[in-house]
Amino acid sequence: MKIAILPGDGIGPEIIEQALKVMNALDEKFETESAPVGGAGYAAHGHPLPEGTLKLAKEADAVLFGAVGDWKYDTLDRPLRPEQAILGLRKNLNLFANLRPAILYPELAGASSLKPEIVSGLDMLIVRELTGDIYFGQPRGVRAAPDGPFKGEREGFDTMRYAEPEIRRIAHVAFQAAQKRGKRLTSVDKANVLETFQFWKEIVTDVHKEYPDVELDHMYVDNAAMQLVRAPKKFDVIVTGNMFGDILSDAAAMLTGSIGMLPSASLDASNKGLYEPSHGSAPDIAGKGIANPLATILSMAMMLRYSLNRPEQADRVEAAVRKVLADGLRTADIHEEGTSRVGTVEMGDAVIRALAR
Ligand code: IPM
Ligand code: MG
């Protein structure tokens, strides 16, 4: 088993270091190889996703990814910006299924911006389609408007589209995830306005026939956004398109009080995957030793579970994270009165100690 390590920018390298430290403390050893990505890729090789990095990611059994993005690179042309690395990896590796769990650890109920009774015990999963939709749809660009009231004026345009097999495969992933959890799936669409999502709804309804044990409902995306902050615990699994999933997963992450706690997995059809924390590169706190490494450590655990087929090791890592929270250790982002504030490295050390208990 070989793991590609792509630390990236900002806090990426320091949180990846902690996840690797924890991984190396497990009984089994895995081969790893690192490569630059994002701004670091541009700095080293003039491209956010250098050829060698993409090759390594393709060859590896799994990719552990930190985060990309830094102000330094904000003025580059879009194809050279750090975000293009993650979009390129998703597309080139066919990582169409993005799993974003939102779990509220009981110890952190006070860190949520919602009342504890509304969020405590929250445990939901967003399954976001990741290689289609308006993110990748062609044509796109800026042109002279060919028609309409602004004919001849400059206009920007993108294309929202989903092919039937694309919808079917993500629906299967979502129904199967629901079968392993609470057996309830909410498909989020905008079928009242968009053709693409009327079609989405039809196909998801059809795939449902193969999963009679799962309860399916459909919700418009605006209502879903409202329900997420009104009664988030009503959700078990949500399945949605790339764009809506991007937005809803940030909202769901915030419900838990700390986006610094949430892992994510992006999988292809054979469970090869890229694992990354849900948060970004936070360049404002990079190098200060205060970033929360837990989302990356939990992403590494997801990697053990889904791509490396080591569920017992994944359980051990997740249990260790619960223990350090129960012990009252907190990085700055989740710190509250009465808990002990620790830095990035200390948090990693504490997880390793908890593995042994
Ligand atoms: C995410 C991010 C990315 C996305 C950006 C960085 C391209 O917001 O992973 O949610 O929009 O998918
Ligand atoms: Mg996002």
Side-chain angles (χ1 to χ4, degrees):
M1 293 284 187
K2 183 169 179 181
I3 305 166
I5 308 293
L6 312 184
D9 309 319
I11 59 172
E14 49 198 293
I15 54 180
I16 284 284
E17 191 184 318
Q18 299 312 307
L20 285 180
K21 193 166 89 178
V22 175
M23 191 172 85
N24 287 327
L26 296 170
D27 312 322
E28 202 177 339
K29 303 290 171 246
F30 299 95
E31 191 193 336
T32 59
E33 189 178 332
S34 301
V37 75
Y42 178 79
H45 301 288
H47 196 278
L49 183 54
E51 228 168 277
T53 303
L54 179 58
K55 186 163 168 278
L56 171 68
K58 279 185 167 167
E59 283 165 5
D61 297 289
V63 179
L64 188 61
F65 188 94
V68 292
D70 197 325
W71 308 301
K72 277 187 278 191
Y73 308 105
D74 275 357
T75 51
L76 291 172
D77 284 347
R78 197 147 49 87
L80 294 178
R81 301 232 329 225
E83 299 78 27
Q84 294 303 313
I86 187 71
L87 296 173
L89 282 165
R90 289 172 183 171
K91 199 65 182 175
N92 279 290
L93 273 55
N94 243 316
L95 306 172
F96 68 88
N98 185 210
L99 310 184
R100 297 193 165 182
I103 294 175
L104 188 95
Y105 293 84
E107 293 86 1
L108 302 183
S112 172
S113 50
L114 296 193
K115 296 191 192 91
E117 62 269 28
I118 293 181
V119 284
S120 86
L122 177 76
D123 179 356
M124 60 175 294
L125 173 69
I126 296 187
V127 178
R128 169 187 175 195
E129 199 290 329
L130 206 56
T131 50
D133 204 348
I134 196 164
Y135 266 59
F136 292 97
Q138 295 291 342
R140 58 191 283 162
V142 175
R143 64 182 172 190
D147 49 28
F150 299 102
K151 189 172 174 183
E153 300 286 345
R154 273 169 17 106
E155 71 171 9
F157 70 108
D158 294 273
T159 304
M160 177 177 275
R161 53 194 284 190
Y162 263 123
E164 182 172 341
E166 264 183 310
I167 305 172
R168 284 194 184 275
R169 65 184 182 180
I170 193 71
H172 281 291
V173 170
F175 279 113
Q176 285 163 22
Q179 277 182 324
K180 292 189 203 128
R181 299 174 36 103
K183 297 193 164 49
R184 286 184 300 109
L185 178 64
T186 304
S187 172
V188 171
D189 61 52
K190 190 72 187 174
N192 50 343
V193 178
L194 302 170
E195 297 294 335
T196 311
F197 276 92
Q198 173 62 41
F199 184 58
W200 169 284
K201 186 174 178 179
E202 266 168 50
I203 302 303
V204 173
T205 305
D206 191 54
V207 175
H208 184 209
K209 291 179 192 147
E210 294 174 52
Y211 301 92
D213 56 327
V214 176
E215 194 187 306
L216 171 69
D217 68 335
H218 303 272
M219 200 179 274
Y220 297 142
V221 62
D222 47 351
N223 186 24
M226 183 164 79
Q227 299 307 326
L228 266 180
V229 289
R230 196 183 75 95
K233 284 192 272 184
K234 290 207 175 132
F235 291 108
D236 178 19
V237 180
I238 285 180
V239 64
T240 190
N242 204 347
M243 176 80 153
F244 299 156
D246 178 43
I247 299 165
L248 293 182
S249 62
D250 265 24
M254 205 55 234
L255 295 176
T256 68
S258 175
I259 195 163
M261 293 294 301
L262 297 179
S264 80
S266 305
L267 305 174
D268 74 1
S270 59
N271 279 350
K272 171 172 173 169
L274 179 149
Y275 299 82
E276 59 174 324
S278 286
H279 59 72
S281 56
D284 52 327
I285 60 163
K288 295 191 176 153
I290 59 171
N292 187 346
L294 293 178
T296 314
I297 292 170
L298 291 167
S299 298
M300 187 270 293
M302 281 185 103
M303 175 175 80
L304 291 166
R305 176 167 290 114
Y306 292 104
S307 289
L308 305 180
N309 203 17
R310 299 290 190 278
E312 334 73 44
Q313 306 284 349
D315 287 345
R316 270 190 80 202
V317 174
E318 286 163 3
V321 168
R322 286 209 177 83
K323 282 180 207 158
V324 299
L325 291 176
D327 290 345
L329 302 187
R330 304 283 188 272
T331 41
D333 56 317
I334 48 175
H335 182 256
E336 290 173 84
E337 234 184 83
T339 60
S340 341
R341 189 171 183 141
V342 296
T344 311
V345 174
E346 287 166 276
M347 190 57 117
D349 291 340
V351 173
I352 291 175
R353 280 196 305 275
L355 276 177
R357 286 195 263 140

